[in-house]
Amino acid sequence: MNATEASTAPMIEVEGLRKSIRNGARTVDILRGLDFAIPQGQFAAIMGASGSGKSTLLGLLAGLDTPSSGDVRLNGTAISYLPEDRLAQVRGKTIGFVFQSYQLIPTLTALENVLLPYELNAGETQNGLARARELLTSVGLGDRFGHYPVQLSGGEQQRVALARAFILRPPIVLADEPTGNLDSTNGEHVLELLLNLNRKEGTTLVLVTHDAVLAAYADRRITLRDGLIVSDEMHSDADVPAVME
Amino acid sequence: MARLSYRSAARVAAREMHSSRGKFFFVILSVAIGVAALTGVRGFSSSFRATLLTRARSIMAADVSARMFEQPTPEEQKGLDEIAASGVEITPVTELLSMASSAKTLDPLLVSLKAVDPAMYPFYGTVELAPVASLKSVLTADNVVVADDLLVRLHLKVGDELKIGNKLFHIASVVVNEPDRLSGNFAAGPRVFISREGLDASGLLAPGSRAGQRFLFKLPAPRDGSAMPDSAVAALRARLEKLLPEARVIDYRETNPALTQGLDRATSLLSLMSLVALVLGAIGVGMAMRAHLQQRLDTIAIMKSLGASSGQIMKIYLLQTLLLGLLGGVLGVALGVGVQMAFPRLLAGLLHMQTEIHLQGRTVLTGLSVGVLTTLLFTLPPLLDIRGVRPVLILRRAVEESDDPFVSAIFRKLRKNGAQIGAAILILAGLAAIAATLSDSTMVGGVFSLGLVSVLAVLLGASALVLTGLKWFLGRTRLSLPSVVRHGLANLYRPGNPSAALLAALGLGVMQIMTVYFVQQAVVRQLHITSAPNLPNVFLVDITPKEIDGVRALIKAQPSVTAPAEMLPVVSSRIVAIDGVAADQAKLKNFPKRMLQSISLTWTAGVPPGTSAVAGKWWQAGERSPVVAVNQRDAERLGVKVGSHITFAAQDSRFTATVVALTKADGQHAYSRAAFILPPATLAGLPVVWYGGVHADPARVGELQRALYRAYPTVTVINVAQALETVRSVMIQITYVIQFLAAFSIFAGIIILASSIAGTRYRRIKEVVVLKTLGATRRRIATIFSIEFAMLGLVAGVVGITSANVVARVLLHRMDVVFHWQWGWSTVALVGTAALTVATGWVASHRILGQKPLEVLREE
């Protein structure tokens, strides 16, 4: 999907977002006032050097952290100051999260890991099984339903994490360096899956990355430096590397 | 590789501690609680025991007594002088029967005279007088102090005069309580106290007079205020038995076997509680250090990747451990001393006695060294694990978490790692050594150590079995189970989850807590039985066969009597031969030959109350052949055993009885004073006098005395109510202290277990973050963890409680106390254990559940 086809209604809105932390006697300003909106269906990459605040921003977008000031709205709902249980419900139904280090539950099988958001938010296990199996198969793990994370390679674990992120067809997927721990082959595969899901399902995708090649696939690149947005560019299909076509 | 100096290692260790003060507080607290329980329990029980034993000694008014019928020979006197020179105090007590009369009645009265040196007697306890005064102040050469029974019989009052021998004495006071009444002879005649000068002036002591002499001995008290060791008492006794072969030497423990048995059991139980406190503290330390080192894995991996060797890293953490152990030990000792000081105040309302607390350097030092030693011992396994940490861990942490939580991992580790085996053996040997040193009872120390090893083995085996079974069950029912149940059970197999270690720790902790509870409950129950309020406290002497039925009827009609009377018939006899050897040539051990001339025999069909057969077998009802049951102690002195033959002479008849049983009495019943018991048929037709014991309301004994005197003036009433109250109150006090200290130990144990569970919370933080990200509410997360904890608690509870019942049974069997499997309390404890683990998990995780996930991660 390109920028012109994306809906104009903002799926993610950020207003005056600030985040500071105390480190002993010092106060460290991580984010120093961000304002932007991401429309529905857009694929946005958040870039920046190490320490620029991109992972912190992603955490705030997911409601995993509390801003020092400002707010985040997801699909019209302001989330930053919601009570934790209410926020968990919003997250469960609205966001799919892909961690850099996969963060699968080690005691659950691949199938159970994918099923978990369904069980937490939607309904009975039996009803979600078909979708979970379909997703795992679609990411190439149709023969690994009963494997535990420790029995899977890094790439396979990340694919399970992807399937988990998409089981509830969330309107938003947030991914924190999803290919950071993977080799190039696996990284490309994961990216392909993400892009397919973005295009087919119309999911709004926000990706934190320092990889320019990865960012090239995004509809929009937001670059952070020292806690501020220094550039916010839309891009055209001409920017997409040839290898993916 | 450069050597890491201790100084540098200490600097690194201290810096690390400084940066995570909160976490280290956990470890220090675990050590402190264990040491505090140990110091407090031991310190207080030692002081309490010293106080109790002083009261127990009041029943004899001395540590040791030697009863003689003749004056000591010059050689014997020399020996006694040497004993006195060594610091032992000695005072003579002369007892004899005499006639006493007053101007108001013409008929003289047979009285039981007791001549004492009031400046020395009694060594323990107090002679209570009415009006209140000290014996020393009233018992002058011209005064006597009498039992109220005498006043009743002679129609006298305090201030009147009483003629004894050649002299007229002034009745200065009434004896309300004679502390050693129970250990004296229950001779006919009311008691009269007279000074030694008074006795000399009365002219009663002439050559040939039948006065009995008792020497009372008191050992010098230990300077540190601790209880006199029984070994010192036993040594003095042995010395006296050798010095005075014709004397009957006994120590205070024999005067009331029930009391000393109660004290012995209390000692064993208190030793047990000290040991339990020790191991519980060690468990807390082990769990806390394990959790601490788990969190340090990244740091350790980084240090290794920078070139540090395992030995260098172990040095850092060993120093850290030593410091933690020392800090915990110091804090624990301070807490323990505080507990020791607080106990008497807390128990003041119940104990009704002043317990003098003596802070013993030995106890403090023991607590400190035990704290450091157990910290080191229990930190060894996780310290040794440092050698297995690979630097690559920091690069591939998410994938490499393959720490198999199954118990099989432990065995796999042991197989691969000889040092771990060595550490395990060292821990067990170290604990056993500490147990043996700490325990005042080698029996308890031995059983405890063996029990510990056995329980650990059983726990590990049971844990393996249960976890394997659970996994099998999960594998087969996985997707059919509700997701929270599946998730909760699956968490038991979380890589790095110390399920096996936690199960073993929990199970061991539960086992120890419940063992303390079961044992103290059984001991206290036994003590209550032994100190039952209806035991005889008034003894009746010299009831003729014609009077016995009338006396029984009178007693039954008395409102002050609260239990049926215990009556025993007594036949006066003498021993003529033992196993065919004439009495005057028999080899006796501290049994005066003269006593062979006045032996009291009694009869009963079955085993009398308060008496038990410790060897041989009692006769069947209707036994007609001449057999005899002999008191164990007297049997030793006479040199008889089961199968021996004793020839008795009573009046004109003579018969030889075979010893069929040796007996032991609790000292609380009328039959306790019977040394020779025969079946009725053997003594049929012989002249008999009856003795009896009744329980009367102590405040109304006078009523009973007057009623008996009016109807049967020749029957002597001996009031030992006060003396028995001493015994009873000591027993009750023991029970209070035991229960209090048990509750304290149990409470400390629960805290330690809770902190061990809470220490595993770090492992859960990341999972909570993921679950929240995926949309799990706090309730859901709490439910998942609750199921995990509840399962842990149930498994540990079943194994621990079963083991506790078994260990308690073994211990109580050795203490000679009955034990029944405790189904009710076991069930309560099982539910309690599961509830405790769940509650602790909630409390520990509460903060994590309520906060934003990344805030928590940041703080951690």
Side-chain angles (χ1 to χ4, degrees):
Chain A
M1 179 185 293
N2 61 36
T4 54
E5 290 170 3
S7 163
T8 54
M11 182 56 71
I12 299 173
E13 279 179 272
V14 171
E15 268 180 22
L17 198 66
R18 289 177 184 275
K19 179 66 183 178
S20 306
I21 57 167
R22 284 197 66 81
N23 188 0
R26 278 175 51 215
T27 301
V28 179
D29 295 319
I30 303 176
L31 298 176
R32 300 197 282 153
L34 304 184
D35 294 88
F36 62 90
I38 300 176
Q40 187 183 350
Q42 191 173 76
F43 174 7
I46 300 178
M47 301 185 64
S50 182
S52 59
K54 30 182 215 305
S55 292
T56 304
L57 174 59
L58 204 70
L60 287 167
L61 293 182
L64 298 176
D65 206 349
T66 312
S68 304
S69 64
D71 207 347
V72 171
R73 266 192 288 277
L74 299 181
N75 208 4
T77 308
I79 65 159
S80 301
Y81 306 102
L82 280 181
E84 199 42 39
D85 278 351
R86 175 80 183 97
L87 184 52
Q89 287 168 344
V90 169
R91 268 192 230 117
K93 290 181 161 57
T94 314
I95 301 172
F97 206 104
V98 182
F99 295 89
Q100 180 178 3
S101 50
Y102 335 133
Q103 299 296 0
L104 299 179
I105 306 292
T107 53
L108 302 179
T109 60
L111 185 64
E112 286 167 340
N113 267 287
V114 173
L115 206 43
L116 192 54
Y118 191 93
E119 290 168 333
L120 291 173
N121 299 287
E124 290 302 315
T125 306
Q126 302 302 327
N127 298 342
L129 267 175
R131 165 94 176 140
R133 286 188 178 118
E134 176 205 330
L135 274 169
L136 269 177
T137 309
S138 73
V139 297
L141 295 174
D143 58 343
R144 304 297 188 111
F145 290 166
H147 282 61
Y148 289 93
V150 74
Q151 294 168 310
L152 303 171
S153 70
E156 287 167 342
Q157 288 191 57
Q158 194 61 301
R159 281 184 270 160
V160 171
L162 267 178
R164 181 179 70 182
F166 279 93
I167 188 167
L168 288 178
R169 295 187 173 90
I172 303 168
V173 167
L174 305 175
D176 185 2
E177 304 267 17
T179 60
N181 282 345
L182 303 175
D183 56 75
S184 56
T185 309
N186 275 307
E188 277 174 18
H189 193 185
V190 162
L191 180 60
E192 190 183 335
L193 288 168
L194 272 171
L195 290 173
N196 282 340
L197 287 163
N198 167 241
R199 285 168 194 152
K200 278 190 198 153
E201 311 265 347
T203 311
T204 305
L205 180 60
V206 179
L207 201 90
V208 159
T209 183
H210 62 270
D211 186 343
V213 172
L214 199 69
Y217 290 91
D219 303 323
R220 176 180 176 184
R221 281 187 292 243
I222 299 171
T223 307
L224 298 182
R225 190 192 300 152
D226 295 333
L228 288 167
I229 297 175
V230 293
S231 82
D232 186 350
E233 302 168 329
M234 304 301 290
H235 86 114
S236 68
D237 289 342
D239 293 334
V240 175
V243 68
M244 285 299 291
E245 287 187 2
Chain B
M1 184 182 300
R3 248 180 100 252
L4 179 71
S5 70
Y6 276 103
R7 200 167 160 177
S8 302
R11 206 179 314 128
V12 174
R15 197 161 50 213
E16 246 209 354
M17 283 176 65
H18 181 73
S19 68
S20 4
R21 284 189 291 271
K23 290 196 187 65
F24 282 111
F25 180 68
F26 235 8
V27 177
I28 292 170
L29 194 63
S30 294
V31 178
I33 289 175
V35 171
L38 184 66
T39 317
V41 166
R42 273 182 72 76
F44 179 72
S45 67
S46 175
S47 300
F48 178 70
R49 216 170 145 252
T51 310
L52 266 189
L53 286 173
T54 302
R55 294 201 75 193
R57 282 163 164 80
S58 72
I59 294 170
M60 181 190 265
D63 291 316
V64 180
S65 95
R67 185 184 289 276
M68 303 173 65
F69 288 92
E70 282 153 6
Q71 292 297 317
T73 63
E75 209 175 292
E76 287 170 350
Q77 187 58 54
K78 190 174 161 210
L80 288 173
D81 292 340
E82 279 168 14
I83 288 172
S86 69
V88 176
E89 293 176 68
I90 307 177
T91 191
V93 172
T94 305
E95 287 170 309
L96 69 160
L97 293 173
S98 176
M99 302 307 284
S101 61
S102 79
K104 291 186 184 176
T105 56
L106 294 172
D107 294 327
L109 179 69
L110 186 68
V111 297
S112 175
L113 275 181
K114 186 169 178 177
V116 300
D117 174 0
M120 301 274 267
Y121 170 91
F123 284 138
Y124 299 100
T126 314
V127 177
E128 289 172 30
L129 304 175
V132 175
S134 72
L135 188 69
K136 192 173 165 185
S137 64
V138 302
L139 199 67
T140 61
D142 298 322
N143 285 350
V144 290
V145 169
V146 304
D148 55 1
D149 198 32
L150 180 143
L151 297 180
V152 169
R153 287 162 185 270
L154 291 180
H155 309 291
L156 292 173
K157 60 183 187 304
V158 171
D160 287 344
E161 294 200 313
L162 185 71
K163 190 174 179 203
I164 299 174
N166 299 332
K167 188 172 163 55
L168 212 55
F169 291 91
H170 177 74
I171 298 174
S173 196
V174 172
V175 177
V176 171
N177 179 34
E178 182 183 343
D180 58 337
R181 191 68 177 94
L182 283 171
S183 10
N185 267 336
F186 277 10
R191 171 69 86 210
V192 174
F193 274 93
I194 191 171
S195 66
R196 299 209 69 82
E197 296 87 350
L199 182 65
D200 290 339
S202 70
L204 289 171
L205 267 190
S209 63
R210 291 175 66 87
Q213 180 93 298
R214 259 195 306 149
F215 285 99
L216 302 183
F217 298 85
K218 183 187 175 195
L219 284 153
R223 277 199 207 129
D224 60 2
S226 62
M228 173 86 61
D230 283 342
S231 54
V233 173
L236 175 63
R237 180 188 170 149
R239 192 172 169 187
L240 287 168
E241 281 174 343
K242 202 173 162 192
L243 175 68
L244 309 167
E246 281 292 304
R248 192 183 166 112
V249 181
I250 56 172
D251 66 40
Y252 76 96
R253 293 169 61 90
E254 279 188 68
T255 52
N256 195 297
L259 175 61
T260 46
Q261 193 177 50
L263 280 169
D264 286 343
R265 285 177 185 152
T267 305
S268 299
L269 190 50
L270 293 171
S271 291
L272 173 70
M273 286 194 273
S274 301
L275 295 172
V276 164
L278 158 72
V279 175
L280 284 173
I283 288 173
V285 165
M287 295 300 295
M289 285 307 290
R290 195 181 191 282
H292 165 59
L293 285 175
Q294 284 281 334
Q295 292 177 43
R296 290 290 170 283
L297 282 179
D298 279 350
T299 310
I300 293 168
I302 291 166
M303 282 200 270
K304 282 197 175 186
S305 62
L306 294 175
S309 69
S310 294
Q312 290 171 323
I313 298 172
M314 280 172 68
K315 198 187 252 182
I316 293 169
Y317 288 100
L318 189 66
L319 284 174
Q320 205 173 70
T321 306
L322 264 172
L323 189 58
L324 289 170
L326 205 59
L327 284 172
V330 166
L331 181 62
V333 159
L335 280 173
V337 166
V339 158
Q340 205 182 328
M341 310 292 277
F343 267 152
R345 271 178 248 277
L346 290 169
L347 289 174
L350 295 169
L351 283 187
H352 304 300
M353 72 179 195
Q354 287 300 314
T355 304
E356 274 184 47
I357 298 296
H358 300 274
L359 290 180
Q360 297 170 23
R362 200 171 66 115
T363 307
V364 167
L365 202 61
T366 306
L368 206 57
S369 11
V370 162
V372 174
L373 191 61
T374 48
T375 308
L376 277 173
L377 277 175
F378 276 80
T379 317
L380 261 183
L383 273 179
L384 288 172
D385 275 345
I386 287 174
R387 297 169 312 151
V389 172
R390 291 172 291 147
V392 74
L393 199 69
I394 46 173
L395 301 174
R396 291 194 286 156
R397 184 64 181 278
V399 181
E400 289 295 321
E401 275 199 69
S402 57
D403 200 3
D404 192 334
F406 289 105
V407 171
S408 53
I410 296 172
F411 291 114
R412 202 178 305 132
K413 225 195 246 187
L414 289 177
R415 270 201 305 273
K416 269 171 63 177
N417 203 333
Q420 288 281 5
I421 298 174
I425 292 171
L426 196 63
I427 288 173
L428 291 170
L431 270 181
I434 292 170
T437 314
L438 280 182
S439 177
D440 295 319
S441 161
T442 43
M443 182 274 290
V444 168
V447 171
F448 184 83
S449 304
L450 268 174
L452 202 62
V453 172
S454 319
V455 163
L456 265 174
V458 166
L459 271 173
L460 286 174
S463 306
L465 209 63
V466 170
L467 286 173
T468 308
L470 209 54
K471 196 171 191 217
W472 177 88
F473 168 74
L474 256 184
R476 268 140 195 75
T477 56
R478 236 175 150 98
L479 291 170
S480 347
L481 290 173
S483 61
V484 277
V485 174
R486 178 170 22 97
H487 199 159
L489 293 180
N491 272 354
L492 292 173
Y493 307 96
R494 182 188 302 116
N497 193 23
S499 296
L502 196 56
L503 265 177
L506 269 180
L508 198 60
V510 168
M511 175 216 125
Q512 291 182 104
I513 288 170
M514 293 315 295
T515 302
V516 165
Y517 181 75
F518 290 149
V519 172
Q520 68 91 12
Q521 209 191 26
V523 167
V524 164
R525 197 183 314 124
Q526 189 73 30
L527 285 172
H528 277 139
I529 291 168
T530 317
S531 64
N534 282 333
L535 294 172
N537 60 358
V538 175
F539 289 90
L540 311 175
V541 174
D542 264 357
I543 308 169
T544 64
K546 281 187 190 153
E547 291 171 330
I548 183 66
D549 292 333
V551 167
R552 274 204 180 110
L554 187 146
I555 287 168
K556 200 170 170 185
Q558 288 300 306
S560 58
V561 172
T562 56
E566 293 178 18
M567 299 295 197
L568 75 157
V570 174
V571 172
S572 290
S573 167
R574 55 194 167 86
I575 290 178
V576 171
I578 299 173
D579 284 328
V581 176
D584 57 357
Q585 279 152 34
K587 279 199 171 41
L588 307 175
K589 193 171 168 240
N590 294 103
F591 194 102
K593 283 218 168 71
R594 206 166 108 177
M595 281 178 72
L596 293 176
Q597 301 302 314
S598 62
I599 296 285
S600 295
L601 306 177
T602 188
W603 75 71
T604 176
V607 182
T611 302
S612 56
V614 297
K617 207 174 155 189
W618 208 267
W619 52 85
Q620 301 287 335
E623 176 66 59
R624 298 208 68 83
S625 51
V627 293
V628 62
V630 182
N631 174 269
Q632 186 183 36
R633 199 70 189 92
D634 287 299
E636 276 170 29
R637 292 193 173 109
L638 291 171
V640 300
K641 52 187 189 303
V642 173
S644 297
H645 302 279
I646 305 176
T647 306
F648 295 98
Q651 224 180 33
D652 296 325
S653 61
R654 193 180 271 223
F655 60 92
T656 300
T658 308
V659 178
V660 294
L662 300 183
T663 63
K664 194 171 73 168
D666 62 10
Q668 314 255 64
H669 293 266
Y671 269 91
S672 298
R673 303 184 79 86
F676 299 92
I677 307 176
L678 294 91
T682 310
L683 297 177
L686 290 172
V688 64
V689 160
W690 288 80
Y691 285 66
V694 304
H695 181 86
D697 179 350
R700 298 171 74 179
V701 172
E703 233 175 83
L704 174 66
Q705 280 175 311
R706 283 188 284 280
L708 269 167
Y709 178 65
R710 274 195 296 273
Y712 302 99
T714 56
V715 173
T716 301
V717 176
I718 299 173
N719 177 9
V720 292
Q722 284 302 320
L724 271 181
E725 260 314 293
T726 302
V727 172
R728 197 167 156 266
S729 69
V730 167
M731 301 284 225
I732 301 291
Q733 282 153 9
I734 292 173
T735 65
Y736 282 138
V737 171
I738 286 174
Q739 288 174 91
F740 198 85
L741 289 177
F744 176 75
S745 301
I746 288 169
F747 175 68
I750 289 172
I751 293 195
I752 288 170
L753 282 187
S755 71
S756 300
I757 297 161
T760 62
R761 89 193 204 293
Y762 181 72
R763 287 262 156 205
R764 294 185 172 75
I765 289 172
K766 288 194 178 164
E767 185 169 329
V768 169
V769 172
V770 173
L771 286 171
K772 280 193 166 193
T773 310
L774 299 176
T777 59
R778 285 175 301 176
R779 188 173 164 180
R780 173 101 186 188
I781 297 170
T783 308
I784 292 169
F785 290 145
S786 295
I787 291 170
E788 180 189 345
F789 280 127
M791 185 52 62
L792 268 175
L794 282 171
V795 171
V798 165
V799 177
I801 290 161
T802 307
S803 311
N805 274 281
V806 170
V807 172
R809 178 179 276 277
V810 169
L811 272 175
L812 288 168
H813 177 71
R814 293 200 178 210
M815 286 189 211
D816 212 15
V817 176
V818 172
F819 174 72
H820 301 288
W821 197 274
Q822 300 284 309
W823 289 110
W825 281 111
S826 296
T827 309
V828 168
L830 181 64
V831 171
T833 307
L836 172 71
T837 47
V838 170
T840 312
W842 279 358
V843 168
S845 309
H846 175 75
R847 193 181 68 88
I848 302 165
L849 291 180
Q851 280 184 296
K852 286 281 168 61
L854 285 182
E855 282 169 0
V856 174
L857 276 179
R858 198 175 293 127
E859 283 166 19
E860 296 291 332

